[in-house]
């Protein structure tokens, strides 16, 4: 590269003071100033191709970006680096990813980027390959404010502050001490968020020998402050004996293993930091000055080695549960969870007995707590609350029941194995079961809470994916009011269910205590709904007058009877229905006894009484069928069997009475009853001379009526009576016709005098013969 003399720019300004006589003078002065500035600008340096390529490669190698690969360097980015190198006026070069494309530009990006590497130069500075690394200022900004702040303060500003010689000693000492404290805390906080323990190593005094540094008392005090903070960090790291779960995290056995791996790595990294020559240099300075803080620091350094040994041992023993716990984590169905539990508990016992560092009750209790957490996580993953709130209540009932059974079996397995362990070594299994099963018990209770919610969805919301639950329907004058009350119940429940949906993320989170307030609020609404339903049932039954209406009313409200708290009132109403049925049975029994010899006036003597008995029996049979069919869905009643037994007895007694009446009638039927058909149809009246009367046998008519009713009752008719009954239609037709003829003839004769009767006698006789011929 040719040497280019760079002349330092003279800072010159112009002003419009009173020395200028006119606007034209001021404009000439401004243009002259611009010409001078342009003349003073350095000429762009000219590089040999090899040197330019070396400078570009230096920038590429010094660039540190996340996931930067060689293939990311495109021609456009390389050209941007070349433009910056060859333009001394460009003070900054920024290399960053814009999307997936790498970009190098001489300005700061206006949109946010994940990380950015910057290169800085002095104004008008021309780089040379052999001095580039000494002259350029570079660094990387990431999205972490803390990391950027640490780098800028520690690498850029802190060295200037430590090298200041113009400040008073007291001011510099206090300022540098506070700076060390700030950087130590900032470094600790930043790396703690990454899960690491990193010591802040001050650069102050590193250029001095430990003898020279020991003579600077203020420097020694500042270094003592740093060592005190190191002591605090190491002590905190050593005392961190167990992993801590966040509020929304449940630690599992695999997390316990991962914690000890992390602890081993963290302690090993701490030992590696303590081997840093700068740390040894500071330690040597404080040992030389007989600092009171160095002994505790050195003791902790020795303790770290023991803790690494402990972590190594715990990793070896906990490794035996890694594979079984991995298998457990893959289980989907809660029914399969408990198949893996005995093996894992036995491995816990092995660790408890054999491990030199993990054999404390506290750590084994933590392992069992982690196992409980794992079971809870598996059950939570199995339960689909989104499907429940979309209407799959029966499926959800099965899921919650499975999870409850799984948790109960886990407790049974634990108790069984603890008992077996205690039999071989009495008193050796003394773990805090309350702590182990605290979350399990809480999870089971929440499952029971959700079982209640599912049942309420079916009962009060009529939400069931397997069957259609009809809306309650009521008849009568007040039916619309009753249905409106049922609509009110559904709206109240839907509002309460919406509140539960809103906190669905807390339902199965055993670490969220707010659920207890939410379920209490839900149950308060359900209690109000139950009171409304009880009042509704009482009101509906006030208008019930007989068994059929009562059964229909219970059927309309039957879905509510599934609720445990409402069973009492529905059992009482069911008992009232059976009592109504029993009253009807007793009333029928009394009527049967009191009306033994009575019959309707239009019915025959024997068959008429049998027909009344059969009607009473059919009524009882109908009510019995209604109650028997309803028993499929009715709540059980203690006296239902007694009522049915009384009905069957009464129906049997009525059948016997009907049979006795039939037997009595058949025995009293004359075997020669058919002879009554041979009689003349009419005869002269003995009571009213000159008039006629019907001569058909009345017993024939009565027999036909009896036979007709017995046939309707499904009973047999004697053969000799059946022969007459077969002609019953003709008999009744002739009987009605004869009555018509006799009535007409007698009416005519009643209107004639004695002389007129003699006069018209031939005509009346002819008329009678004609009508009789028609009948025949």
């Amino acid at each position: 590269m040719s040497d280019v003399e760079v002349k330092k720019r003279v800072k010159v300004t112009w002003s419009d003071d009173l020395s200028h006589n006119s606007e034209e003078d001021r404009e000439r002065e401004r243009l002259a100033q611009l010409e001078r500035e342009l003349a003073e600008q350095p000429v762009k340096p000219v590089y040999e191709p090899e040197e330019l390529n070396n400078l570009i490669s230096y920038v590429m190698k010094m660039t540190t970006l996340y996931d930067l690969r060689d293939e990311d360097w495109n021609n456009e980015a390389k050209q941007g680096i070349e433009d910056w190198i060859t333009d001394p006026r460009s003070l900054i070069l920024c290399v960053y990813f814009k999307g997936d494309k790498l970009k190098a530009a001489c300005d700061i990006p206006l949109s946010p980027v994940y990380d950015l590497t910057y290169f800085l130069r002095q104004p008008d500075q021309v780089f040379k390959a052999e001095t580039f690394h000494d002259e350029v200022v570079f660094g990387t900004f990431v999205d972490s404010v803390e990391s950027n702040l640490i780098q800028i303060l520690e690498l850029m500003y802190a060295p200037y502050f430590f090298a200041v010689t113009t400040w008073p000693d007291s001011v510099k000492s206090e300022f540098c001490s506070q700076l060390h404290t700030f950087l130590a805390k900032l470094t600790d906080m930043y790396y703690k968020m990454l899960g690491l323990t990193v010591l802040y190593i001050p650069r102050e005094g590193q250029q001095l020998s430990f003898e020279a540094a020991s003579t600077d008392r203020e420097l020694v005090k500042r270094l003592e402050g740093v060592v005190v903070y190191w002591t605090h960090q190491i002590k905190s790291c050593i005392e961190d004996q167990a992993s801590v779960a966040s509020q929304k995290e449940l630690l599992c056995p695999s997390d316990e293993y991962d914690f000890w791996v992390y602890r081993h790595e963290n302690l090993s990294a701490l030992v590696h930091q303590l081997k840093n020559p700068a740390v040894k240099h500071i330690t040597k300075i404080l040992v030389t000055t007989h600092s009171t803080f160095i002994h505790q620091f050195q003791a902790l350094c020795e303790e770290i080695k023991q803790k690494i040994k402990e972590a190594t041992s715990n990793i070896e023993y906990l490794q035996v549960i890694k594979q079984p716990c991995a298998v457990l984590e893959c289980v989907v169905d809660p029914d399969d969870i408990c198949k893996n539990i005995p093996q894992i508990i036995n491995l816990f016992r092995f660790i408890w007995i054999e491990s030199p560092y993990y054999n404390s009750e506290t750590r084994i209790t933590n392992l069992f707590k982690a196992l409980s957490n794992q079971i809870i996580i598996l059950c939570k993953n199995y339960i689909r609350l989104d499907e429940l709130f979309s209407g799959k209540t029966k499926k959800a009932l099965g899921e919650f029941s499975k999870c409850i059974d799984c948790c109960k079996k886990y407790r049974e397995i634990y108790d069984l194995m603890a008992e077996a362990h205690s039999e071989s070594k009495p008193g050796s299994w003394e773990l805090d079961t309350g702590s182990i099963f605290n979350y399990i018990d809480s999870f089971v209770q929440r499952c029971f809470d959700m079982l209640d919610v599912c049942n309420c969805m079916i009962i009060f919301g009529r939400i069931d994916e397997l069957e259609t639950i009809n809306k309650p329907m009521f008849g009568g004058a007040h039916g619309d009011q009753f249905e409106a009350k049922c609509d009110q119940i559904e709206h109240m429940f839907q509002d309460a269910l919406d509140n539960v949906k809103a906190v669905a993320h807390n339902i199965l989170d055993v670490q969220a205590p707010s659920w207890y307030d939410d379920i209490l609020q839900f149950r308060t609404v359900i209690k109000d709904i139950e009171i409304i339903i009880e009042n509704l049932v009482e009101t509906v039954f006030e208008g019930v007058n007989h068994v059929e209406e009562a059964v229909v009313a219970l059927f309309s409200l039957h879905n509510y009877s599934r609720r445990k708290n409402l069973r009492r009132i529905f059992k009482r109403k069911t008992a009232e229905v059976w009592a109504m049925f029993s009253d009807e049975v007793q009333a029928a029994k009394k009527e049967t006894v009191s009306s033994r010899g009575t019959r309707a006036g239009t019915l025959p003597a024997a068959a008429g009484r049998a027909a009344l008995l059969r009607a009473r029996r059919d009524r009882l049979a109908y009510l019995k069928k209604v109650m028997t069919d309803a028993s499929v869905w009715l709540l059980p009643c203690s006296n239902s069997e007694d009522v049915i037994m009384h009905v069957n007895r009464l129906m049997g007694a009525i059948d016997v009475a009907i049979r006795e009446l039939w037997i009595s009638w058949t025995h009293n039927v004359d075997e020669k009853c058919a002879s009554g058909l041979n009689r003349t149809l009419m005869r002269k009246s003995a009571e009213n001379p000159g008039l006629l009367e019907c001569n058909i046998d009345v017993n024939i008519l009565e027999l036909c009526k009896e036979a007709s009713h017995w046939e309707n009752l499904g009973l047999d008719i004697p053969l000799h009576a059946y022969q007459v009954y077969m002609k019953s239609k003709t008999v009744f037709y002739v009987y009605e016709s004869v009555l018509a003829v006799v009535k007409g003839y007698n009416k005519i004769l009643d209107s004639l005098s004695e002389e007129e009767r003699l006069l018209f006698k031939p005509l009346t006789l002819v008329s009678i013969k004609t009508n009789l011929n028609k009948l025949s």
Side-chain angles (χ1 to χ4, degrees), residues 512-527:
S514 60
W515 167 249
Y516 299 110
D517 295 331
D518 299 328
I519 192 63
L520 179 61
Q521 182 181 2
F522 175 80
R523 284 176 174 157
T524 300
V525 176
I526 297 302
K527 185 63 178 177

Side-chain angles (χ1 to χ4, degrees), residues 9 66 83 170 173 265 273 304 322 376 380 429-430 490 578 596 632 671 771:
R9 180 182 302 167
Y66 174 76
D83 294 341
S170 60
S173 178
E265 293 175 351
Q273 294 177 66
I304 290 176
K322 188 176 180 181
I376 292 173
K380 284 175 62 177
W429 192 295
E430 297 292 341
E490 287 195 19
W578 281 103
R596 185 180 298 274
V632 176
E671 293 183 359
N771 289 327

Side-chain angles (χ1 to χ4, degrees), residues 430-492:
E430 297 292 341
L431 299 181
D432 184 5
T433 55
S435 175
I436 293 173
F437 294 101
N438 181 29
Y439 281 165
I440 287 288
D441 295 339
S442 178
F443 182 77
V444 170
Q445 181 57 49
R446 296 188 182 213
C447 288
F448 277 118
D449 293 340
M450 290 310 297
L451 284 178
D452 190 26
V453 173
C454 292
N455 288 321
C456 289
M457 290 174 67
I458 297 172
I459 296 170
F460 303 122
R462 298 186 296 113
I463 303 173
D464 191 338
E465 78 272 25
L466 299 182
E467 63 175 314
T468 301
I469 303 176
N470 296 321
K471 182 180 177 181
M473 304 291 288
F474 300 92
H478 301 289
D480 293 340
Q481 299 177 12
F482 299 152
E483 292 175 8
K485 187 63 69 174
C486 292
D487 291 339
Q488 177 190 351
I489 291 170
E490 287 195 19
H491 292 153
M492 287 178 63

Side-chain angles (χ1 to χ4, degrees), residues 8-34:
K8 191 172 183 180
R9 180 182 302 167
V10 179
K11 296 182 179 180
V12 180
T13 60
W14 64 274
S15 63
D16 52 350
D17 55 16
L18 296 177
S19 65
H20 295 89
N21 297 323
S22 64
E23 185 69 27
E24 291 78 4
D25 294 337
R26 288 195 294 270
E27 181 65 20
R28 282 195 297 272
E29 179 68 20
R30 189 179 68 83
L31 293 175
Q33 174 69 21
L34 290 176

Side-chain angles (χ1 to χ4, degrees), residues 269-481:
L270 201 54
V271 169
H272 179 73
Q273 294 177 66
L274 294 174
K275 294 178 181 179
N276 190 315
V279 175
K280 292 184 176 181
H281 181 67
I282 294 173
T283 305
K284 201 168 186 180
I285 293 173
L286 297 183
V287 170
T288 303
T289 59
H290 303 286
S291 173
T292 57
F293 303 102
I294 195 64
H295 300 294
Q296 185 180 9
F297 172 72
Q298 291 176 329
L300 289 174
C301 292
E302 292 299 322
E303 190 175 350
I304 290 176
K305 298 177 182 179
Q306 179 62 28
K307 295 302 180 182
I308 291 177
K309 182 180 179 182
E310 176 187 7
T312 304
S313 174
N314 290 342
I315 291 172
E316 291 176 354
Y317 280 96
L318 288 174
Q319 197 167 7
V320 300
I321 67 172
K322 188 176 180 181
Q323 192 271 340
C325 288
V327 173
L328 179 62
E329 291 173 3
C330 297
V331 173
V332 177
D333 196 323
D335 290 341
D336 299 330
I337 292 178
C338 291
K339 297 177 182 178
N340 301 276
I341 298 299
Q343 179 189 6
I344 295 176
I345 294 180
N346 275 327
L347 292 175
F348 287 176
R349 291 178 61 248
F350 166 76
I351 296 171
W352 191 1
I353 295 171
E354 300 295 334
S355 173
Y357 298 101
Y358 217 92
N359 58 354
S360 67
E361 294 179 357
T362 301
R363 286 184 173 173
I364 297 299
T365 299
N366 289 336
L367 270 183
F368 277 105
K369 288 169 64 176
L371 179 59
S372 299
N373 294 340
Q374 182 68 68
I375 293 174
I376 292 173
I377 291 173
L378 293 174
C379 290
K380 284 175 62 177
N381 294 336
Y382 177 73
I383 295 171
R384 303 299 301 272
L385 290 177
D386 54 340
E387 293 184 355
L388 165 62
F389 292 123
S390 67
K392 295 184 178 181
T393 49
K394 290 292 179 63
K395 183 175 182 292
L397 284 172
E399 291 173 351
F400 288 116
S401 298
K402 270 190 175 184
C403 292
I404 291 172
D405 292 340
C406 172
C407 293
K408 289 183 176 179
K409 287 180 182 177
Y410 165 52
R411 182 64 183 262
E412 292 172 0
I413 292 172
Y414 174 87
D415 292 338
L416 185 63
M417 298 189 73
E419 182 181 354
H421 180 88
S422 299
E423 287 180 358
S424 59
K425 295 182 178 180
S428 58
W429 192 295
E430 297 292 341
L431 299 181
D432 184 5
T433 55
S435 175
I436 293 173
F437 294 101
N438 181 29
Y439 281 165
I440 287 288
D441 295 339
S442 178
F443 182 77
V444 170
Q445 181 57 49
R446 296 188 182 213
C447 288
F448 277 118
D449 293 340
M450 290 310 297
L451 284 178
D452 190 26
V453 173
C454 292
N455 288 321
C456 289
M457 290 174 67
I458 297 172
I459 296 170
F460 303 122
R462 298 186 296 113
I463 303 173
D464 191 338
E465 78 272 25
L466 299 182
E467 63 175 314
T468 301
I469 303 176
N470 296 321
K471 182 180 177 181
M473 304 291 288
F474 300 92
H478 301 289
D480 293 340
Q481 299 177 12

